[in-house]
Amino acid sequence: MESVKILDCTLRDGGYYTNWDFDEALVDSYLKSCESLPLDYLEIGYRSPVKSEYLGKYFYCPDSVLKAVRQVSAKKIAVLLNEKDVSLDDLEPLLGHCTDLIDLVRVAVNPVNFGRAVTLARGLKDMGYEVAFNVMYMSNWHKVDGFFDQLDQVNGLVDYFYLVDSFGGVYPDDVRSIVTQVKSKINSKVGFHGHNNMELGLINTLTAIEAGAEIVDATIRGMGRGAGNLKMELLLTCLSSKFGLEVDFNALGRVVAAYGPLQDMHQWGTNLPYMVSGANSLPQKDVMEWVSKRFYSMNSIVQALNNQSAGVEDNIKFNAFSPEKSYQSVLIIGGGPSASDHAAALNEWASKETDLCIVHASSKNANYYIDLNKDQFFCLVGNEGHRLEDQSAAGFDFVSKCILPPFPRKMGTYVPAELAEKSFELQKVQFTGKVKDSHTVLALQTAIELGARNIYLAGYDGYSGDAIRQVELEMANENETLFLNFMENHGTLTSLTPTKYESLSEISVYAKI
Amino acid sequence: MESVKILDCTLRDGGYYTNWDFDEALVDSYLKSCESLPLDYLEIGYRSPVKSEYLGKYFYCPDSVLKAVRQVSAKKIAVLLNEKDVSLDDLEPLLGHCTDLIDLVRVAVNPVNFGRAVTLARGLKDMGYEVAFNVMYMSNWHKVDGFFDQLDQVNGLVDYFYLVDSFGGVYPDDVRSIVTQVKSKINSKVGFHGHNNMELGLINTLTAIEAGAEIVDATIRGMGRGAGNLKMELLLTCLSSKFGLEVDFNALGRVVAAYGPLQDMHQWGTNLPYMVSGANSLPQKDVMEWVSKRFYSMNSIVQALNNQSAGVEDNIKFNAFSPEKSYQSVLIIGGGPSASDHAAALNEWASKETDLCIVHASSKNANYYIDLNKDQFFCLVGNEGHRLEDQSAAGFDFVSKCILPPFPRKMGTYVPAELAEKSFELQKVQFTGKVKDSHTVLALQTAIELGARNIYLAGYDGYSGDAIRQVELEMANENETLFLNFMENHGTLTSLTPTKYESLSEISVYAKI
């Protein structure tokens, strides 16, 4: 145990949740607490060629950032390179000038690109860095032709050769056997980077150490992509009680508390969808997107993952939505409280309009419109089929048609059996390229297909400035973008109920009745 | 694997967070979802002799409750008895009449009372029940004289003999060796009930199965005392992918989602304090109380646990608080926003009062009173020493004395070095027997010691009716009780700022300046 090194990569791996921007006070508190903890390396972020989207401070780690870290921290500093983004020619501009700021350069390696990564390692070693390989997808290495035979190329170039449990699905027995196998091939030190989908981060890491690994990763509160990592506080507490590692629990308590508000906001950690993806070795990227958005139920995500796991892309194909008639006006009803608060007025107004139909973006408020004698279309995205079922105590008679996103639907398809014959799918989404499967996209595209000239909204309340959860803000921003995309070619959107969306026009429903 | 049975004890073990009352709709949804899951037993709650405190529906499980469960569920039904609360004479009244409602009676057994438990088992077996022993503290069994030698007494009486990892600190190797040892002594089936302090619930359970255990426990979302249990969704997902166990993931997703709001409210699950208690085999009861109350920082809890682990009850003894003078009036300043919102008026009023001192129940608002030329006492409970330090950018000159709870202090003691000579401890708390170490207790007792005739409060705002977190409600209720206790013998308490506490009198600070 004495020779095992510990690397904390909270800022680098946690950045997946914050887009690599962190509050300065948090970083300061993090660095200061880490000074008192038995950590050997802090991985501060990535170094990366420029990408055409906004990525924050710790994705690029400019020199000024590293200098500021050096001033506070006496720990060895690491950065990560994504091999897929970095060519040999990039090395000099990215890392040619900062051996005084960076101690260890890690390279995230896809095992199929092993040869390219070795070339990078040679360049980095020549520059004078310590070099680590974080080789991903360890559960699939045995499927990569000749993977184990080429490993000896790292000797003399790579200081630490990491096994990365990318899917979070390996078990201790796998770890033991792969560490042993790797150690028989190379003389670099072996490392382990575990994920926590199955809550096996700790036991896999302990097993790796027992099998001879000499460096292991963890992050504060397990902050990291998807289900996250082994929790540093768990690792240190365990090593303290099991092997007498000296741990300053005041410092540990401080840094764990410091990340509390961020976890409340972003809610990383494992849950059923991540467990299913881990257990079946499915990539977490999709899952993280689905879980972060509120409108997919755990149910529909798990269903989608089971489809992936079984190799089923989608299970049902419906006829194309091609409406027999068009409507002058469409009222789109969202899931916000204003569509129930003002339901009486909205019903009164809608019933008087001669050429109007209803599009339910969400089924949440459907029950308030059951008695309205208008054509009513339901957007079935994510879990809406189940929700509609739960809502419709009175039956489905008021449903004219159900509209589904274009085939194939990643999240699978659920339509209540009684509505199968009334269900149709869109052929395309034409007004935006950003998102395909949100309630709002589906509702707006449906309005286009229905030929509407006047499009009204209700129950699109927007989120108040003090929304606690990041996902609410993101969904509000996404809707705002969709409204703007839509209005470029398809005219004004008018909200009949109070709304915080700035792009919407407003006319009170009470002014119209 | 085919022969391994699964028991869900969400209602029984989760009741530690809800005082064994659950929303009927939740129970219904739980029972219905469980029907579609590969579970063998549902443990619905306890059966217990009457206790002199309120405990909910599923702590007593009266026949009507069990009948209602039987109507919805075709699963085998289990209840738990606490051996320490139940004598042989209790069996007939508790369980003499309901073999049609209960299939399995489990007995929670302290290993030192093993003999008594065997007597109970004989009684239960005679009544016709399946019987299980849940034998606690498995990590300490080797310390109990002759424990393993007496085990064969269970043969023929006990269907399932459970190893319970009470502290949540055993490792897979321990599980393997103890299961093997037990199996060599008895012919009852062996079971395993794991806790999740160290996130070892899954691997310990898998290891138990591998070593020959034939029944295992889990709960939805791991709901259970302290850090909680192995998560049922994790167990089923793992067994599904590893051994092909058939799992209806729609039903699983539904029941996991159903318990989401309860987890948001009670926030069970592991965290640093539970990890420390698990790693060091300390009981979780204290930790659960400390974690549930907001006013202990993670830091001070971890410190207290480290003291326990090192056998240190407390580390510093201070002189007794015996004030040289008394004051006609005391203003107690709490941590609520009103003490900062109205600080100007409070300062103005206090500065004019001739015979008044300040007692800071919390340091949170201390900075607003730095320039007030009055004697100022600080209550240092839990983490307040650290908080005072953080608040006092301007130094500690305005601090007259610090008051600590009576020795010994379970949570340890922290006093900023500069204030050590100004720090004193109370000798007793006389006006209440309920709580010893809350801010409010300390402040009120200090006011008594200071001989005050008029006691004013500010910054005791109370919690709004829509407080989301259970702990806020509990703290508000606790304070209300303390105020009432105090006023029985020590006169009125008057709030100068807005308050939701009903027992407090109110006079606006603006009426007094």
Side-chain angles (χ1 to χ4, degrees):
Chain A
M1 180 58 222
E2 290 73 40
S3 66
V4 175
K5 296 189 189 308
I6 300 175
L7 181 147
D8 184 281
C9 49
T10 306
L11 295 179
R12 199 273 304 166
D13 214 342
Y16 280 98
Y17 277 97
T18 66
N19 205 12
W20 292 278
D21 279 323
F22 290 90
D23 190 69
E24 283 311 284
L26 176 64
V27 173
D28 191 61
S29 155
Y30 163 76
L31 293 173
K32 283 180 179 151
S33 297
C34 286
E35 282 304 281
S36 312
L37 294 174
L39 310 177
D40 300 277
Y41 293 90
L42 303 182
E43 188 173 70
I44 296 300
Y46 288 92
R47 278 264 165 131
S48 171
V50 179
K51 299 200 152 201
S52 60
E53 59 181 316
Y54 179 80
L55 293 155
K57 193 165 166 175
Y58 297 92
F59 191 80
Y60 292 106
C61 289
D63 287 8
S64 58
V65 169
L66 293 172
K67 278 179 195 155
V69 170
R70 275 276 196 242
Q71 278 178 1
V72 182
S73 177
K75 300 291 183 187
K76 284 191 172 183
I77 301 303
V79 297
L80 188 64
L81 297 183
N82 269 327
E83 184 279 326
K84 73 176 163 56
D85 297 336
V86 178
S87 69
L88 196 54
D89 293 342
D90 292 325
L91 281 194
E92 187 55 36
L94 278 181
L95 290 158
H97 54 288
C98 44
T99 45
D100 56 328
L101 296 175
I102 297 169
D103 301 287
L104 169 65
V105 178
R106 305 212 293 178
V107 186
V109 181
N110 186 323
V112 299
N113 298 332
F114 194 79
R116 289 200 334 221
V118 171
T119 313
L120 279 189
R122 192 166 294 121
L124 291 166
K125 205 70 211 161
D126 287 346
M127 289 172 169
Y129 293 106
E130 294 184 87
V131 178
F133 271 12
N134 281 29
V135 189
M136 302 184 282
Y137 315 122
M138 62 181 280
S139 48
N140 288 341
W141 289 356
H142 63 281
K143 295 183 199 158
V144 178
D145 263 352
F147 177 75
F148 287 98
D149 298 330
Q150 66 194 332
L151 292 192
D152 58 2
Q153 297 176 38
V154 302
N155 291 337
L157 293 180
V158 170
D159 300 275
Y160 302 109
F161 182 99
Y162 269 89
L163 290 60
V164 180
D165 175 19
S166 304
F167 305 122
V170 303
Y171 289 87
D173 288 347
D174 308 322
V175 174
R176 185 177 294 107
S177 105
I178 301 177
V179 169
T180 307
Q181 196 172 357
V182 169
K183 279 181 74 77
S184 75
K185 301 279 184 186
I186 66 175
N187 55 34
S188 311
K189 289 175 175 173
V190 169
F192 181 72
H193 178 98
H195 289 138
N196 212 34
N197 299 55
M198 310 281 289
E199 296 189 345
L200 295 171
L202 178 66
I203 194 68
N204 283 339
T205 299
L206 292 177
T207 304
I209 291 173
E210 210 177 272
E214 291 176 90
I215 188 166
V216 296
D217 289 4
T219 63
I220 306 299
R221 286 177 178 264
M223 188 179 194
R225 187 176 194 173
N229 303 88
L230 168 59
K231 297 176 177 73
M232 182 59 80
E233 60 272 30
L234 182 57
L235 177 66
L236 294 183
T237 301
C238 168
L239 296 180
S240 154
S241 74
K242 218 175 156 71
F243 301 107
L245 181 72
E246 278 227 25
V247 174
D248 175 345
F249 280 94
N250 278 322
L252 185 58
R254 267 200 307 277
V255 66
V256 167
Y259 278 86
L262 216 50
Q263 187 165 26
D264 289 344
M265 181 182 284
H266 296 288
Q267 314 244 309
W268 67 80
T270 195
N271 57 30
L272 179 53
Y274 287 124
M275 292 168 191
V276 173
S277 72
N280 299 289
S281 292
L282 304 170
Q284 345 205 39
K285 190 163 171 272
D286 283 351
V287 190
M288 182 170 163
E289 195 188 317
W290 297 338
V291 169
S292 307
K293 308 217 165 180
R294 260 198 329 191
F295 53 80
Y296 297 122
S297 69
M298 194 169 298
N299 219 334
S300 54
I301 297 173
V302 167
Q303 193 53 54
L305 287 169
N306 278 325
N307 287 349
Q308 273 189 19
S309 165
V312 179
E313 241 204 340
D314 194 5
N315 32 20
I316 314 172
K317 191 146 177 29
F318 287 87
N319 291 329
F321 180 51
S322 59
E324 309 86 47
K325 59 168 291 197
S326 63
Y327 300 80
Q328 183 163 4
S329 306
V330 166
L331 170 60
I332 297 177
I333 298 182
S338 72
S340 56
D341 293 349
H342 304 284
L346 288 162
N347 270 284
E348 183 184 341
W349 169 73
S351 65
K352 285 188 208 156
E353 288 287 301
T354 49
D355 193 15
L356 171 129
C357 67
I358 307 291
V359 172
H360 291 276
S362 156
S363 307
K364 201 167 172 193
N365 292 310
N367 277 352
Y368 296 94
Y369 298 88
I370 277 182
D371 298 325
L372 185 62
N373 190 18
K374 294 286 173 189
D375 291 342
Q376 301 202 35
F377 299 89
F378 281 79
C379 299
L380 295 194
V381 65
N383 198 40
E384 279 301 312
H386 288 287
R387 186 183 264 179
L388 180 58
E389 213 162 30
D390 292 346
Q391 289 284 308
S392 294
F396 295 113
D397 289 349
F398 65 107
V399 176
S400 305
K401 282 179 183 168
C402 294
I403 315 296
L404 290 95
F407 183 90
R409 291 168 286 277
K410 265 204 277 194
M411 304 296 298
T413 303
Y414 179 78
V415 171
E418 300 90 330
L419 294 174
E421 298 207 341
K422 290 181 172 182
S423 296
F424 301 87
E425 59 191 35
L426 294 177
Q427 299 304 289
K428 61 182 180 310
V429 171
Q430 70 189 98
F431 73 94
T432 181
K434 288 240 162 194
V435 203
K436 295 268 182 228
D437 53 359
S438 89
H439 292 88
T440 305
V441 166
L442 205 53
L444 291 173
Q445 185 65 37
T446 300
I448 293 173
E449 307 285 336
L450 292 167
R453 268 173 295 163
N454 309 316
I455 304 183
Y456 301 102
L457 289 85
Y460 272 86
D461 302 355
Y463 292 97
S464 56
D466 58 345
I468 311 170
R469 283 169 49 95
Q470 181 74 5
V471 294
E472 295 182 356
L473 294 174
E474 280 172 11
M475 180 148 4
N477 290 340
E478 181 179 300
N479 278 347
E480 200 82 83
T481 307
L482 291 171
F483 295 148
L484 291 168
N485 288 163
F486 182 90
M487 289 189 285
E488 278 170 28
N489 292 305
H490 300 281
T492 309
L493 293 167
T494 303
S495 178
L496 300 180
T497 51
T499 183
K500 293 200 169 66
Y501 287 108
E502 297 195 352
S503 58
L504 299 180
S505 302
E506 282 185 287
I507 295 176
S508 166
V509 62
Y510 297 97
K512 296 180 78 79
I513 55 177
Chain B
M1 180 57 223
E2 289 73 41
S3 67
V4 175
K5 295 189 189 307
I6 300 175
L7 181 147
D8 184 281
C9 49
T10 306
L11 295 178
R12 198 274 304 164
D13 214 341
Y16 281 97
Y17 277 96
T18 66
N19 205 12
W20 291 278
D21 279 323
F22 291 89
D23 189 72
E24 283 310 285
L26 176 64
V27 173
D28 190 61
S29 156
Y30 163 77
L31 292 173
K32 283 181 179 152
S33 296
C34 286
E35 283 303 281
S36 312
L37 293 174
L39 310 176
D40 300 278
Y41 293 90
L42 304 182
E43 187 174 68
I44 296 301
Y46 287 93
R47 277 265 164 129
S48 171
V50 178
K51 298 202 152 199
S52 61
E53 59 181 317
Y54 179 80
L55 292 156
K57 192 164 165 178
Y58 297 94
F59 190 82
Y60 292 105
C61 289
D63 288 8
S64 57
V65 169
L66 294 172
K67 278 179 193 155
V69 170
R70 276 273 197 243
Q71 278 178 0
V72 182
S73 177
K75 300 290 182 187
K76 283 189 170 185
I77 301 303
V79 298
L80 187 65
L81 297 183
N82 269 326
E83 184 280 325
K84 73 176 164 56
D85 297 336
V86 177
S87 70
L88 197 54
D89 293 343
D90 293 324
L91 282 194
E92 186 56 34
L94 278 181
L95 290 157
H97 54 288
C98 43
T99 44
D100 55 331
L101 296 175
I102 297 169
D103 301 287
L104 168 66
V105 178
R106 305 212 293 178
V107 186
V109 181
N110 186 324
V112 300
N113 296 333
F114 194 79
R116 290 202 331 223
V118 170
T119 314
L120 280 190
R122 193 167 293 120
L124 291 166
K125 206 69 212 165
D126 287 347
M127 290 173 168
Y129 293 106
E130 292 184 89
V131 177
F133 270 12
N134 280 28
V135 189
M136 302 184 283
Y137 316 122
M138 62 180 282
S139 49
N140 288 343
W141 289 357
H142 64 281
K143 297 183 198 157
V144 178
D145 264 353
F147 177 76
F148 287 98
D149 298 331
Q150 67 194 330
L151 293 192
D152 58 1
Q153 296 175 39
V154 302
N155 291 337
L157 293 180
V158 171
D159 301 275
Y160 302 108
F161 182 99
Y162 269 89
L163 290 59
V164 180
D165 175 19
S166 303
F167 305 122
V170 303
Y171 289 87
D173 288 348
D174 309 322
V175 174
R176 187 177 293 108
S177 105
I178 301 176
V179 169
T180 307
Q181 196 171 358
V182 170
K183 279 181 73 77
S184 75
K185 302 277 185 187
I186 66 175
N187 55 35
S188 310
K189 289 175 175 171
V190 170
F192 180 74
H193 177 98
H195 289 138
N196 212 35
N197 299 55
M198 311 280 289
E199 297 190 342
L200 294 172
L202 178 65
I203 193 69
N204 282 340
T205 300
L206 292 178
T207 305
I209 292 173
E210 210 177 271
E214 291 175 272
I215 188 166
V216 295
D217 288 7
T219 63
I220 306 300
R221 285 177 176 263
M223 188 178 195
R225 187 175 194 173
N229 303 87
L230 167 59
K231 297 176 177 74
M232 182 58 82
E233 60 272 28
L234 182 56
L235 177 65
L236 295 183
T237 301
C238 168
L239 296 180
S240 153
S241 74
K242 219 173 154 70
F243 301 107
L245 181 71
E246 278 227 25
V247 174
D248 175 345
F249 280 94
N250 276 321
L252 185 58
R254 267 200 307 277
V255 67
V256 167
Y259 278 87
L262 216 51
Q263 187 164 24
D264 288 344
M265 178 180 286
H266 297 289
Q267 314 244 310
W268 66 81
T270 195
N271 58 29
L272 179 54
Y274 287 124
M275 292 169 192
V276 173
S277 72
N280 298 290
S281 292
L282 304 170
Q284 352 203 35
K285 189 162 171 274
D286 283 350
V287 191
M288 183 168 161
E289 196 187 317
W290 297 337
V291 168
S292 307
K293 306 216 167 182
R294 261 200 324 192
F295 53 82
Y296 298 124
S297 68
M298 195 169 297
N299 220 333
S300 55
I301 298 173
V302 167
Q303 193 53 53
L305 288 169
N306 279 325
N307 287 349
Q308 274 190 20
S309 164
V312 179
E313 240 204 341
D314 194 5
N315 31 21
I316 315 173
K317 190 148 179 25
F318 287 88
N319 290 329
F321 179 52
S322 61
E324 308 87 45
K325 60 168 290 195
S326 63
Y327 301 80
Q328 184 164 4
S329 306
V330 166
L331 170 61
I332 297 177
I333 297 183
S338 73
S340 56
D341 292 349
H342 303 285
L346 289 161
N347 270 285
E348 183 183 340
W349 168 75
S351 64
K352 286 189 207 153
E353 289 286 302
T354 49
D355 193 14
L356 171 128
C357 67
I358 307 291
V359 172
H360 291 277
S362 157
S363 306
K364 200 167 172 192
N365 292 311
N367 277 352
Y368 296 95
Y369 299 87
I370 277 183
D371 298 325
L372 186 61
N373 189 18
K374 294 286 172 189
D375 291 342
Q376 300 203 36
F377 299 89
F378 281 79
C379 299
L380 296 193
V381 64
N383 197 40
E384 277 301 313
H386 287 286
R387 185 183 265 179
L388 179 57
E389 214 161 30
D390 292 346
Q391 289 284 307
S392 293
F396 296 113
D397 289 350
F398 64 107
V399 176
S400 305
K401 282 180 182 167
C402 294
I403 316 296
L404 289 96
F407 183 90
R409 291 169 285 279
K410 261 203 281 192
M411 303 296 298
T413 304
Y414 179 77
V415 171
E418 299 89 330
L419 295 174
E421 298 208 341
K422 293 181 170 182
S423 295
F424 301 87
E425 58 189 38
L426 295 176
Q427 298 304 289
K428 60 183 182 312
V429 170
Q430 70 189 97
F431 72 95
T432 180
K434 287 241 163 194
V435 202
K436 295 266 182 230
D437 54 357
S438 91
H439 291 88
T440 305
V441 167
L442 205 52
L444 291 173
Q445 184 65 37
T446 299
I448 293 173
E449 308 286 336
L450 291 168
R453 267 174 295 163
N454 308 317
I455 304 183
Y456 300 102
L457 289 85
Y460 272 87
D461 302 355
Y463 293 96
S464 55
D466 58 345
I468 311 170
R469 283 169 50 94
Q470 182 73 6
V471 295
E472 295 182 356
L473 293 173
E474 281 172 10
M475 177 144 13
N477 289 339
E478 181 179 300
N479 279 346
E480 199 82 84
T481 307
L482 291 170
F483 296 146
L484 291 167
N485 288 165
F486 182 90
M487 289 190 285
E488 278 170 26
N489 292 306
H490 301 279
T492 308
L493 294 167
T494 304
S495 177
L496 300 179
T497 50
T499 182
K500 294 200 169 68
Y501 287 110
E502 296 195 352
S503 59
L504 299 180
S505 302
E506 281 184 289
I507 296 177
S508 167
V509 62
Y510 297 97
K512 296 182 78 80
I513 55 177

